[in-house]
Amino acid sequence: MPQYMLIMRGTDESNAAMMANIDEMMATSRRFIEDLFKAGVYVAAEGLDDPSQGVVVDFGGETPVVTDGPYGETKELFGGFFLIDVASKAEAVEWAKRVPAAPGAKVEVRRVPGSDETPDSDGRN
């Protein structure tokens, strides 16, 4: 079965709303992960640290430039993910609709190509 990543994207406002109710959000997230596990589709799930603790390595010039967070121009922050193993994109979307998220947040659904779909060193599958 294909794997899909449900990518959590938040704004400053949705992240603040989530942090205001963090205990409830964590409990709801644990229940969601239990549901994924019981359904046999759970592969992995992780949240990320505050963006102010990260850095960006920009390869736009001749040498990489490292910039400390936070990133004022970022409209949506990648806050974490759920990796699930389901039969179709439609099923992944149904799970994405159940992700515990604060108002204003988004969940991006992306298929993870299998190892048989990535090119070998000679450019062939």
Side-chain angles (χ1 to χ4, degrees):
M1 289 199 306
Q3 292 184 345
Y4 286 85
M5 184 174 281
L6 311 181
I7 302 168
M8 305 293 296
R9 295 199 178 275
T11 62
D12 289 339
E13 293 79 18
S14 67
N15 290 339
M18 181 187 71
M19 293 308 292
N21 297 307
I22 191 65
D23 291 337
E24 180 182 336
M25 183 61 71
M26 294 300 293
T28 303
S29 293
R30 281 191 292 277
R31 286 191 299 276
F32 179 69
I33 291 170
E34 288 172 7
D35 289 346
L36 293 170
F37 188 78
K38 287 176 187 173
V41 300
Y42 175 85
V43 177
E46 294 292 339
L48 298 176
D49 200 359
D50 186 274
S52 67
Q53 302 302 310
V55 300
V56 167
V57 180
D58 183 347
F59 292 91
E62 284 189 33
T63 59
V65 175
V66 178
T67 305
D68 290 331
Y71 318 104
E73 62 276 306
T74 301
K75 301 288 187 222
E76 295 180 342
L77 302 172
F78 176 15
F81 69 90
F82 298 94
L83 185 60
I84 59 176
D85 195 358
V86 294
S88 66
K89 180 168 65 172
E91 186 178 354
V93 168
E94 289 305 311
W95 281 106
K97 290 178 183 178
R98 296 178 56 190
V99 167
K106 295 178 182 177
V107 176
E108 179 180 347
V109 178
R110 302 270 305 270
R111 190 174 71 83
V112 179
S115 60
D116 59 336
E117 297 177 272
T118 56
D120 294 334
S121 61
D122 62 4
R124 296 179 295 171
N125 284 351

